[in-house]
C-alpha cells in the first residue's frame, strides 16, 4: 500500500464529482455532433491504452491476454472512449515487456492467436471502437530470425548489414565501437561471439542488449516494415502507435556523442527519418477509411516535434510536455500555449496524455511535493506521497485534458485512480531498467500492476480466483478501486470519466477546434470552447468565485459556498455552460 492511502476511496472525502448538474447536459444532443462527423475521427479521439499483460487474464495463467481483453470490450465501449491502443502483443521473449519483437506478424502464445486478434478487431469495430496497434521499428528481439541469421552469417554479410555491426576499438577490438549509452543503462554496444567461439563484432542497441537496432539505411529493412504495415492494415487495424519515432535513422558513421556539438544528437531526430514517415503515410493513405499514426516522441523542442506532423508525415504525436509539467497553473498554461502554437502551422491536432506504461502513475506524481516527471525515477522513488491530494489533482487534470483542443490518451487504470505500486519486492521486478541499472532506477513495474476488476481480495477479478497474476502485488486497498466498486458509485473517478467522455462526445465545441483564454487569477486556468463551453481549473490554495449561479456541467470535486457565492476550491476543475454574459 502506498503512503497516505486512507480516505481516498471513491465517495470518501469531499463528495467528489457530484456537484450540481453532474451528468449529461440535457441541452446537448447525445449523438456525435455533425461538425465532428465531417472530419477524420482521429482529430478528436480519446483512446485507451491497453497493456495486454496487465489488463485481464482470460485463461487463468496469470498473464493478461486477448481472451480477457475481448471479454472487457463492452466495458471500454461503456467508458466512452473511441478506441484502443494496444501495447505490443507480438511474439516476444518479453525481455522488455513485448517491446522486443521476434515476429511482427504473429501474436505471442501468452496472449492468444492471430485468429483471435482478428476476432478482437471485428468485435471492437462492432462496438464502435477503433484499434491502434503498437509498431516497434527501431529495434527487434535478439530472437528475431533476421538477427539470428546475422549472428550466423558473419562479418561483412548482407544479413549483418540489416543491423549495426562494427568491429570494436582498442587492442583485440575489446572496446565498444562508440560511446553511445543505452537508455536502459550501460553502453549501447554489446559484443558477440562469432561462430568459431571467439569474441567478435559489436552490435548497437539503444535499449536492452536483447533489442538490437535495425539499420534503416538498409532497403530490406524498409521494405520489411512496409510489408508489416500492410499486414496489419489488411487485418483491419485503424492505425499504429510508433515506438521511439525519432530513433530509427542514425547520423551517418555513428559518430561519438562526446564532443558532438551538433543538433540533433547523432542517434535520433535525423533528417532522413522524415522520408521513412512520408513513405509510410502513402501506405496508410492507400487504404480506405481514416487510418492513422500516433508518434511516441520525447522531443522537448516544439518546432522539432511538429516537423513529424507535417501534412505528408504522421497524423498525431503524444504530447509529453504536459505529462512532464509540475502541477502549476503558469507551467500548464505555457505548455498548452506552446503546444497549440507549434501544432498550428502543420495543421495537426494536439494529443494530450497524462500517463502511460513507462511513467509514474498520475495520482502518485501529483501527490508529491515535486509533481513533475523526469526520467529520474531513482530520485523520486519512495518520496512521500499524499494520495488524497494526488487524486484530487488527477481528477482535475482529467477534466482539463478532455476539455483541451485535440485528442487524448488514457492509460489503463488511470480511470480507476490507481497509484504507482512502489513496494514491489526486488525479486518480482522485471523491467530491464531495474536490472540494467543494478537497481538504482527501480523501473516501470509499479505502473504495470494487473488491474483490479472486482471482488474483495487479490487478484480482484484480474483472472479466475486462485490464478496468481504475473506481478502479484496488487494492494489490498484496491478493493475500493476496482471497476465493480466504482461503476455506478456516485463520485467515483470512473463515473467522472464516464460522464466527462459522454459530455465530450456529444458537445460540438470539444475535441479538435479553437479555445479562448479568459482573464483569470494567476492560479487559475479559465478558457472557453465554441458552443457555450467553459473550463476552469484552480491550481492554487484559495477558492475562486464562479459566476452566480454557476451553470455546471461537471465538476471534479465538491464546490464550496463562500460569502461571495459558489466557489471552486483548490485542485478542482469545473465544466460550465457558458454564455457571453459570464465571460
Ligand atoms: C518505448 C516504449 C517503452 C520501451 C521502449 C523501447 O519508449 O514505450 O516501453 O521500453 O520504447 O522499445
Amino acid at each position: 500500500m502506498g503512503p497516505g492511502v486512507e480516505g481516498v476511496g471513491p465517495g470518501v472525502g469531499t463528495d467528489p464529482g457530484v456537484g450540481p448538474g453532474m451528468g449529461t447536459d440535457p441541452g446537448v444532443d447525445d449523438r456525435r455532433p455533425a461538425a465532428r462527423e465531417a472530419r477524420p475521427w482521429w482529430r478528436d479521439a480519446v483512446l485507451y491504452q491497453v497493456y495486454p499483460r496487465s489488463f485481464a487474464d482470460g485463461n487463468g495463467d496469470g498473464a493478461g491476454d486477448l481472451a480477457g481483453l475481448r471479454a472487457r470490450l463492452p466495458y471500454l465501449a461503456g467508458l466512452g472512449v473511441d478506441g484502443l491502443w494496444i501495447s505490443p502483443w507480438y511474439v516476444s521473449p518479453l525481455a522488455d515487456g513485448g517491446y522486443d519483437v521476434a515476429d511482427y506478424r504473429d501474436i505471442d502464445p501468452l496472449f492468444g492467436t492471430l485468429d483471435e486478434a482478428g476476432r478482437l478487431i471485428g468485435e471492437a469495430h462492432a462496438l464502435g471502437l477503433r484499434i491502434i496497434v503498437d509498431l516497434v521499428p527501431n529495434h527487434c528481439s535478439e530472437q528475431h530470425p533476421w538477427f539470428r541469421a546475422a549472428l550466423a552469417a558473419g562479418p561483412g554479410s548482407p544479413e549483418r548489414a540489416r543491423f549495426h555491426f562494427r568491429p570494436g576499438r582498442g587492442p583485440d577490438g575489446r572496446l565498444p565501437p562508440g560511446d553511445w549509452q543505452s537508455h536502459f543503462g550501460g553502453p549501447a554496444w554489446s559484443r558477440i561471439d562469432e561462430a568459431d567461439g571467439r569474441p567478435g563484432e559489436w552490435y548497437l542497441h539503444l535499449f536492452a542488449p536483447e533489442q538490437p537496432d535495425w539499420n534503416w539505411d538498409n532497403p530490406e529493412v524498409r521494405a520489411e516494415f512496409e510489408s508489416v504495415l500492410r499486414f496489419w492494415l489488411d487485418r483491419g487495424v485503424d492505425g499504429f502507435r510508433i515506438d521511439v519515432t525519432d530513433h530509427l535513422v542514425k547520423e551517418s558513421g555513428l559518430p561519438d556523442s562526446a564532443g558532438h556539438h551538433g543538433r540533433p544528437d547523432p542517434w535520433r531526430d535525423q533528417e532522413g527519418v522524415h522520408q521513412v514517415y512520408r513513405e509510410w503515410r502513402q501506405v496508410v493513405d492507400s487504404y480506405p477509411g481514416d487510418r492513422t499514426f500516433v508518434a511516441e516522441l520525447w522531443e522537448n523542442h516544439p518546432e522539432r516535434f511538429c516537423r513529424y506532423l507535417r501534412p505528408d508525415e504522421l497524423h498525431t504525436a503524444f504530447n509529453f510536455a504536459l505529462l512532464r509539467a509540475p502541477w502549476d497553473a503558469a507551467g500548464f498554461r505555457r505548455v498548452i500555449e506552446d503546444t497549440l502554437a507549434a501544432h498550428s502551422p502543420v495543421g495537426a491536432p494536439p494529443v494530450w496524455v497524462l500517463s502511460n506504461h513507462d511513467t509514474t502513475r498520475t495520482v502518485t506524481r501529483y501527490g508529491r511535493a515535486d509533481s513533475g516527471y523526469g526520467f529520474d525515477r531513482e530520485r523520486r522513488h519512495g518520496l512521500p506521497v499524499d494520495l488524497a491530494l494526488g487524486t484530487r489533482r488527477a481528477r482535475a487534470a482529467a477534466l482539463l485534458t478532455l476539455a483541451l483542443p485535440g485528442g487524448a490518451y488514457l492509460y489503463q487504470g488511470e480511470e480507476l485512480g490507481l497509484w504507482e505500486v512502489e513496494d514491489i519486492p526486488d525479486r518480482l521486478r522485471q523491467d530491464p531498467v531495474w536490472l540494467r541499472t543494478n537497481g538504482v532506477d527501480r523501473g516501470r513495474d509499479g505502473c504495470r500492476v494487473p488491474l483490479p476488476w472486482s471482488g474483495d481480495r487479490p487478484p480482484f477479478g484480474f483472472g479466475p480466483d486462485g490464478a496468481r497474476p504475473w506481478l502479484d502485488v496488487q494492494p489490498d486497498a484496491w478493493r475500493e478501486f476496482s471497476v465493480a466498486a466504482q461503476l455506478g458509485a456516485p463520485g467515483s473517478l470512473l463515473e467522472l470519466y464516464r460522464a466527462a467522455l459522454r459530455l465530450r462526445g456529444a458537445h460540438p465545441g470539444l475535441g479538435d477546434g479553437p479555445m479562448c483564454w479568459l482573464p483569470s487569477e494567476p492560479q487559475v486556468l479559465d478558457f472557453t470552447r465554441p458552443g457555450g463551453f467553459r473550463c476552469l481549473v484552480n491550481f492554487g490554495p484559495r477558492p475562486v468565485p464562479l459566476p452566480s449561479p454557476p451553470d455546471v456541467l461537471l465538476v471534479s470535486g465538491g464546490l464550496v459556498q463562500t460569502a461571495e457565492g459558489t466557489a471552486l476550491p483548490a485542485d478542482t476543475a469545473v465544466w460550465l455552460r457558458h454564455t457571453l454574459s459570464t465571460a
Side-chain angles (χ1 to χ4, degrees):
M1 184 195 293
V5 67
E6 283 79 15
V8 292
V12 181
T14 53
D15 195 15
V18 280
M22 172 161 171
T24 307
D25 174 356
V28 172
D29 187 344
D30 222 19
R31 287 165 308 177
R32 198 171 141 84
R36 227 174 284 169
E37 289 296 348
R39 54 186 184 241
W41 65 275
W42 48 263
R43 296 194 70 91
D44 306 291
V46 179
L47 287 123
Y48 183 97
Q49 181 191 353
V50 173
Y51 191 74
R53 206 177 176 196
S54 303
F55 185 71
D57 172 14
N59 67 3
D61 67 355
D65 49 34
L66 299 196
L69 174 52
R70 287 171 65 199
R72 308 292 183 178
L73 288 175
Y75 163 73
L76 296 172
L79 177 59
V81 293
D82 299 294
L84 320 181
W85 149 33
I86 305 177
S87 278
W89 54 5
Y90 314 107
V91 177
S92 166
L94 298 181
D96 181 21
Y99 285 91
D100 47 321
V101 180
D103 183 350
Y104 290 87
R105 296 182 184 80
D106 205 354
I107 302 294
D108 196 280
L110 185 71
F111 299 137
T113 63
L114 190 56
D115 268 1
E116 237 179 324
R119 284 200 289 280
L120 185 149
I121 295 167
E123 288 159 5
H125 286 167
L127 289 167
L129 296 169
R130 312 270 180 169
I131 297 286
I132 303 262
V133 292
D134 210 315
L135 188 66
V136 188
N138 178 65
H139 46 265
C140 58
S141 158
E142 58 167 354
Q143 298 297 329
H144 191 286
W146 284 17
F147 191 69
R148 311 300 307 164
L151 293 183
S157 61
E159 287 83 354
R160 286 220 176 157
R162 295 166 176 157
F163 299 90
H164 296 285
F165 279 90
R166 294 283 185 282
R169 289 178 180 171
D172 309 323
R174 233 183 290 143
L175 301 172
D179 72 347
W180 296 1
Q181 295 295 298
S182 150
H183 293 303
F184 289 166
W189 292 94
S190 288
R191 193 170 197 188
I192 61 161
D193 287 335
E194 300 294 353
D196 62 6
R198 278 195 287 198
E201 289 195 314
W202 297 69
Y203 67 92
L204 178 72
H205 53 85
L206 287 174
F207 293 88
E210 294 88 348
Q211 296 168 293
D213 278 43
W214 291 107
N215 175 9
W216 274 86
D217 292 332
N218 186 304
E220 286 179 341
V221 170
R222 291 182 183 233
E224 171 66 0
F225 273 91
E226 189 175 317
S227 150
V228 168
L229 286 177
R230 291 185 189 281
F231 179 89
W232 289 104
L233 290 165
D234 289 340
R235 271 155 193 77
V237 303
D238 299 284
F240 301 89
R241 176 262 187 193
I242 306 173
D243 194 60
V244 291
T245 301
D246 57 343
H247 281 38
L248 278 50
V249 175
K250 279 74 178 171
E251 187 174 326
S252 165
L254 312 182
D256 278 353
S257 294
H260 181 284
H261 300 300
R263 198 201 141 83
D265 300 317
W267 43 269
R268 66 173 200 107
D269 196 30
Q270 301 294 312
E271 194 52 40
V273 80
H274 294 282
Q275 187 54 27
V276 175
Y277 297 129
R278 285 189 200 105
E279 285 163 19
W280 286 14
R281 180 63 179 257
Q282 287 178 15
V283 174
V284 300
D285 283 354
S286 71
Y287 278 76
D290 293 309
R291 318 280 179 116
T292 191
F293 289 112
V294 57
E296 186 210 19
L297 200 51
W298 290 91
E299 166 61 65
N300 293 332
H301 196 278
E303 272 109 51
R304 296 221 51 109
F305 180 95
C306 281
R307 298 173 84 232
Y308 292 81
L309 303 180
R310 288 176 288 200
D312 59 345
E313 297 191 39
L314 305 174
H315 305 77
T316 56
F318 299 123
N319 186 286
F320 292 127
L322 194 75
L323 184 156
R324 291 179 132 165
W327 184 253
D328 164 69
F332 266 54
R333 183 170 174 145
R334 204 173 319 115
V335 167
I336 294 166
E337 287 175 350
D338 288 353
T339 301
L340 295 176
H343 281 68
S344 155
V346 290
V351 169
W352 308 99
V353 47
L354 294 172
S355 78
N356 63 27
H357 67 294
D358 293 327
T359 59
T360 310
R361 285 262 184 210
T362 314
V363 299
T364 300
R365 181 160 59 84
Y366 287 145
R368 288 196 172 126
D370 177 355
S371 54
Y373 176 79
F375 289 100
D376 52 3
R377 281 172 294 260
E378 68 276 20
R379 263 206 308 114
R380 290 169 208 237
H381 181 92
L383 290 179
V385 179
D386 177 344
L387 285 182
L389 175 68
T391 301
R392 272 202 309 280
R393 291 174 171 175
R395 296 174 66 97
L399 289 200
L400 170 63
T401 48
L402 293 175
L404 288 173
Y409 278 71
L410 169 64
Y411 173 48
Q412 67 180 37
E414 197 172 318
E415 82 281 22
L416 303 176
L418 303 185
W419 55 89
E420 188 85 3
V421 179
E422 297 200 299
D423 54 0
I424 300 177
D426 290 350
R427 70 191 152 74
L428 295 183
R429 291 189 184 273
Q430 303 214 2
D431 187 358
V433 169
W434 152 255
L435 301 169
R436 297 265 304 164
T437 62
N438 295 321
V440 173
D441 184 330
R442 304 185 75 79
R444 301 163 293 179
D445 295 310
C447 65
R448 300 173 176 179
V449 176
L451 291 193
W453 289 93
S454 58
D456 288 337
R457 282 190 311 277
F460 298 120
F462 170 69
D465 270 349
R468 291 182 61 150
W470 68 277
L471 187 55
D472 191 10
V473 294
Q474 292 165 312
D476 289 337
W478 280 8
R479 74 168 63 84
E480 289 179 65
F481 292 81
S482 72
V483 171
Q486 297 197 43
L487 257 188
S492 72
L493 182 52
L494 179 55
E495 287 301 333
L496 181 71
Y497 265 106
R498 281 159 53 90
L501 289 166
R502 203 163 51 234
L503 278 167
R504 176 186 159 105
H507 199 290
L510 292 180
D512 193 18
M515 68 178 280
C516 181
W517 294 110
L518 296 181
S520 64
E521 297 180 34
Q523 59 168 344
V524 175
L525 296 188
D526 189 354
F527 60 92
T528 61
R529 304 295 314 271
F533 179 95
R534 179 174 174 192
C535 175
L536 285 101
V537 189
N538 183 4
F539 288 76
R542 292 183 315 281
V544 293
L546 291 174
S548 188
D551 199 349
V552 176
L553 293 167
L554 192 59
V555 61
S556 70
L559 297 177
V560 292
Q561 292 303 322
T562 65
E564 290 82 44
T566 309
L568 184 67
D571 303 316
T572 307
V574 66
W575 288 1
L576 299 176
R577 203 180 274 104
H578 175 63
T579 53
L580 283 181
S581 60
T582 59

